[in-house]
Amino acid sequence: MLFRSKYEKFLSKELDIQIGKTNTKLDSHRNTVRTREAAIGNLIADAMRDGVNADIGFANGGGIRAGKIYTPGTIITRRDMLLEMPFGNVVVKLKLTGAQIWEALENGVSQVENIAGRFPQVSGVSFTYNPKAQAGSRVVSAKIGGQPLNKGRSYTVATNNYAASGGDGYKVFKKGEVLINASGATLLASMVMDYIKTKGSVSPKVEGRIVTQ
């Protein structure tokens, strides 16, 4: 028991290390991250894209788990980020065509009415979709780096190994060329923590990356 309490004390000390501050409100509740653009989703997707130098960052909303609110000015700890991203996923890098990315976006919004975990939180790409349209035909338009998505050209995508292996219906990711595979990849939570730590403070906000028609 003495060993256990010492270990728990050590663990708490490690987990409660402060990594940075959020200047804006973050909401990781299930209904938020699985149905619409979320500031915390943007933060995670930005960190993924930045971490592997990709055109696009792509996170499945179901992988954001703590279900809490961080008010502006909140100090973020290692514990917070490990509770938000508890699955031990790593960040992989793929090369996909614009057509395949469009297909991935369609999958992402195909079950929004069911609050499904596949809902995408994105970076480097913005899109408009119609939730009332038939699943598979909901995406109306998409831009990458501010330019209309070109279905014929290739783009690089940062995502987690779960989605990359077809999880949450992202079968199209399995067709991509693998540039960084899971064995050579960084833990997602670590990548986000490093991103926040480097910046010192972050100010993610909802900014029209995902627009409902």
Side-chain angles (χ1 to χ4, degrees), residues 107-154:
N107 175 66
V109 295
S110 65
Q111 293 183 19
V112 64
E113 61 274 28
N114 302 328
I115 317 177
R118 66 185 59 192
F119 189 85
Q121 298 292 335
V122 297
S123 174
V125 58
S126 58
F127 69 100
T128 299
Y129 81 102
N130 178 1
K132 295 184 178 68
Q134 190 178 344
S137 304
R138 290 180 171 175
V139 178
V140 176
S141 62
K143 288 182 175 180
I144 294 177
Q147 299 297 315
L149 178 147
N150 181 338
K151 290 188 177 183
R153 67 158 283 194
S154 291

Side-chain angles (χ1 to χ4, degrees), residues 154-168:
S154 291
Y155 301 93
T156 54
V157 179
T159 191
N160 63 57
N161 58 306
Y162 170 71
S165 60
D168 272 344

Side-chain angles (χ1 to χ4, degrees), residues 7-209:
Y7 179 69
E8 282 173 357
K9 201 172 171 184
F10 168 76
L11 208 57
S12 278
K13 203 171 153 190
E14 287 296 299
L15 291 175
D16 293 330
I17 290 171
Q18 298 179 356
I19 53 171
K21 182 177 78 167
T22 179
N23 297 318
T24 50
K25 178 184 170 184
L26 305 180
D27 176 358
S28 66
H29 284 102
R30 191 170 185 270
N31 271 24
T32 302
V33 296
R34 294 177 177 225
T35 62
R36 55 190 179 271
E37 179 187 351
I40 193 166
N42 288 352
L43 172 65
I44 291 167
D46 284 350
M48 293 167 82
R49 180 166 73 107
D50 184 76
V52 297
N53 192 26
D55 297 319
I56 295 167
F58 210 102
N60 55 316
I64 304 169
R65 303 297 283 206
K68 62 185 279 191
I69 298 278
Y70 305 81
T71 55
T74 298
I75 300 296
I76 297 169
T77 65
R78 287 171 57 86
R79 185 191 299 273
D80 292 326
M81 291 298 97
L82 289 166
L83 286 171
E84 292 294 356
M85 294 161 278
F87 297 121
N89 287 324
V90 296
V91 181
V92 299
K93 186 177 182 180
L94 309 172
K95 186 190 275 188
L96 295 159
T97 65
Q100 289 169 330
I101 290 164
W102 189 287
E103 193 180 323
L105 294 173
E106 286 285 11
N107 175 66
V109 295
S110 65
Q111 293 183 19
V112 64
E113 61 274 28
N114 302 328
I115 317 177
R118 66 185 59 192
F119 189 85
Q121 298 292 335
V122 297
S123 174
V125 58
S126 58
F127 69 100
T128 299
Y129 81 102
N130 178 1
K132 295 184 178 68
Q134 190 178 344
S137 304
R138 290 180 171 175
V139 178
V140 176
S141 62
K143 288 182 175 180
I144 294 177
Q147 299 297 315
L149 178 147
N150 181 338
K151 290 188 177 183
R153 67 158 283 194
S154 291
Y155 301 93
T156 54
V157 179
T159 191
N160 63 57
N161 58 306
Y162 170 71
S165 60
D168 272 344
Y170 285 102
K171 293 190 183 79
V172 67
F173 282 161
K174 292 168 78 176
K175 297 174 185 172
E177 180 190 340
V178 179
L179 302 177
I180 297 173
N181 66 22
S183 66
T186 302
L187 193 69
L188 170 58
S190 295
M191 191 172 279
V192 177
M193 287 190 269
D194 288 344
Y195 180 81
I196 297 168
K197 200 172 174 184
T198 300
K199 291 191 174 295
S201 67
V202 290
S203 307
K205 56 186 183 292
V206 175
E207 55 191 24
R209 298 182 188 189

